[in-house]
């Protein structure tokens, strides 16, 4: 829920990431709303239910709606309006013990965020070793639409929001 909210706010700050590519017309799509698709594993593969206007949702609304959509996805009862569309996808494999991976973009979207699990680690700070928890995030980009520098700015925005959770409360 925190990652969804952080990504939604980061997309608002970095609208160049909230884009797609229409390969039939060979044009870039600039999405007007931040509609986050959630990658959900189902027996027949993968489906991506959408949290519409996620940037305006509270954390509790995101939590409730995401849980409802995941249950419906696993039961096979999603309606087309619940999984068609979306401007950006999040794929989370952390619950499977995966620490990092590269996700495949969900066309016509131009980007996807891959979320790995949180791991205990140690960092050096002014010569002292301190325990910490780290989470790997990576963004895959369609370079016909988005360049790497824009992707880096987006990841830094997500990082800021996750490291400052009070910023996620609306």
């Amino acid at each position: 829920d925190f990652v969804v909210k952080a990504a939604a706010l980061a997309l608002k700050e970095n609208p160049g990431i909230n884009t797609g590519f229409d390969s039939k017309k060979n044009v870039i799509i600039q999405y007007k709303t931040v509609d986050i698709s959630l990658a959900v594993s189902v027996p027949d593969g993968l489906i991506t239910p959408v949290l519409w206007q996620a940037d305006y949702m509270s954390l509790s609304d995101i939590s409730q709606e995401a849980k409802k959509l995941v249950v419906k996805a696993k039961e096979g009862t999603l309606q087309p309006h619940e999984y068609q569309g979306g401007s950006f996808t999040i794929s989370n494999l952390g619950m499977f013990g995966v620490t990092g991976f590269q996700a495949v973009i969900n066309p016509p979207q131009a980007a996807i965020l891959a979320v790995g699990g949180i791991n205990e680690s140690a960092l050096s700070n002014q010569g002292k070793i301190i325990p910490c928890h780290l989470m790997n995030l990576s963004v895959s980009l369609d370079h016909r639409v988005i360049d790497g520098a824009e992707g880096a700015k987006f990841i830094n925005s997500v990082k800021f929001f996750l490291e400052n959770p009070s910023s996620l409360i609306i």
Side-chain angles (χ1 to χ4, degrees):
D1 304 334
F2 283 83
V3 173
V4 171
K5 184 64 177 184
L9 294 176
L11 287 166
K12 194 138 186 149
E13 278 187 0
N14 299 273
I17 305 297
N18 197 44
T19 54
F21 187 77
D22 184 332
S23 57
K24 291 178 184 168
K25 297 178 182 174
N26 204 34
V27 296
I28 294 172
I29 303 163
Q30 178 63 60
Y31 295 109
K32 292 179 174 58
T33 57
V34 175
D35 305 316
I36 296 189
S37 303
L38 304 174
V40 178
S41 177
V42 294
D44 293 336
L46 191 71
I47 193 162
T48 53
V50 181
L51 294 168
W52 301 102
Q53 297 187 332
D55 52 325
Y56 290 106
M57 297 174 79
S58 68
L59 279 169
S60 64
D61 290 341
I62 288 170
S63 178
Q64 290 171 13
E65 186 67 14
K67 285 177 185 153
K68 181 178 86 175
L69 289 170
V70 168
V71 166
K72 289 178 83 171
K74 296 203 180 272
E75 291 174 345
T77 60
L78 283 173
Q79 298 300 306
H81 71 274
E82 294 174 306
Y83 63 85
Q84 291 177 348
S87 62
F88 181 84
T89 299
I90 297 174
S91 181
N92 182 352
L93 295 179
M95 71 282 283
F96 298 111
V98 173
T99 57
F101 67 104
Q102 297 298 312
V104 177
I105 298 166
N106 184 19
Q109 298 171 10
I112 185 170
L113 181 67
V115 181
I118 298 173
N119 296 303
E120 289 185 26
S121 191
L123 291 176
S124 173
N125 185 7
Q126 297 179 345
K128 295 181 182 176
I129 303 298
I130 54 171
C132 65
H133 290 87
L134 297 176
M135 179 173 66
N136 288 317
L137 300 172
S138 64
V139 63
S140 299
L141 308 169
D142 182 339
H143 283 269
R144 295 174 295 181
V145 181
I146 305 167
D147 68 34
E150 282 185 276
K153 290 175 188 173
F154 168 75
I155 285 288
N156 280 330
S157 293
V158 173
K159 178 180 179 278
F160 169 82
F161 288 119
L162 290 174
E163 289 178 344
N164 298 279
S166 62
S167 66
L168 302 176
I169 299 169
I170 58 172

